Amino acid sequence: MEDILNQISKVKRDKLGTEIPILIFRVLRHYTHVYASDLLGERASNILFINAGRALGEQLGERLYDEDLNKYLKKISDFVEEEKIGILKISHIDESKLVVQLDECITCAGMDNIGKRICFFEVGLVAGLVEKYLGRKVIAHETKCNANGEGTCEVTVNF
Ligand SMILES: [Zn+2]
């Protein structure tokens, strides 16, 4: 997996640079989900996106790791904002769970209510980051989504 991230990180676009309009990202993201759902079923497609997010989360977690949890979370939220994935805020944390809010989510911010939560990549990303810190698997769900009319994107991780 590390190889994939290394390979795709290398960009040579002297004139156009590394940024793309969000619509292009969303076309790739949403159409891939739709077609993967047609081929594999919606649940499998969701898992595919969760696993992709988790792979990034694990590698990112390795890069940003800090045994001080607050410093680790700060580095993560800085990265998430710098990379324009969203604005990450910790809504709640205790021994049993972590709840994070992802405002201006790259995938769902501004979308109409389509009656479902769709940010599986983000769920996997958060899960992978937490798993790297804890050194074990966790269960994560999207508990609010703009695409479900809930005004923000929120991921809940149960330890
Ligand atoms: Zn969302």
Side-chain angles (χ1 to χ4, degrees):
M1 282 296 177
E2 180 114 13
D3 284 351
I4 297 174
L5 192 62
N6 282 336
Q7 287 158 10
I8 62 177
S9 296
K10 291 170 187 150
V11 178
K12 179 158 175 37
R13 303 210 315 165
D14 296 338
K15 194 170 164 194
L16 299 176
T18 55
E19 298 197 356
I20 58 163
I22 196 161
L23 180 62
I24 303 303
F25 169 82
R26 286 188 175 182
V27 166
L28 288 168
R29 172 66 183 282
H30 293 265
Y31 281 55
T32 305
H33 188 266
V34 167
Y35 292 126
S37 295
D38 285 349
L39 285 169
L40 309 166
E42 193 167 346
R43 196 176 132 73
S45 179
N46 297 347
I47 292 169
L48 190 151
F49 276 85
I50 290 171
N51 287 347
R54 191 174 241 135
L56 178 62
E58 285 169 0
Q59 288 176 46
L60 203 57
E62 214 162 282
R63 210 183 292 169
L64 303 178
Y65 183 81
D66 196 308
E67 60 183 311
D68 180 328
L69 181 60
N70 287 325
K71 284 185 188 164
Y72 182 58
L73 292 172
K74 170 81 171 90
K75 285 192 218 171
I76 290 169
S77 60
D78 286 350
F79 176 88
V80 166
E81 195 163 331
E82 277 160 22
E83 296 302 313
K84 301 187 180 180
I85 297 168
I87 301 167
L88 192 73
K89 295 174 184 160
I90 312 298
S91 316
H92 179 89
I93 184 164
D94 64 28
E95 314 77 49
S96 65
K97 70 174 177 179
L98 167 72
V99 183
V100 297
Q101 199 175 309
L102 188 64
D103 291 342
E104 301 195 21
C105 171
I106 190 169
T107 297
C108 71
M111 279 182 66
D112 288 336
N113 183 351
I114 57 167
K116 55 182 171 182
R117 297 177 181 141
I118 58 167
C119 297
F120 303 101
F121 178 84
E122 288 75 8
V123 169
L125 178 63
V126 173
L129 286 161
V130 172
E131 285 169 354
K132 200 75 220 173
Y133 187 81
L134 293 176
R136 62 181 166 80
K137 292 282 176 198
V138 296
I139 294 169
H141 291 103
E142 190 179 22
T143 40
K144 284 183 188 168
C145 185
N146 288 296
N148 201 37
E150 294 164 307
T152 189
C153 199
E154 182 187 86
V155 177
T156 299
V157 183
N158 296 297
F159 302 142

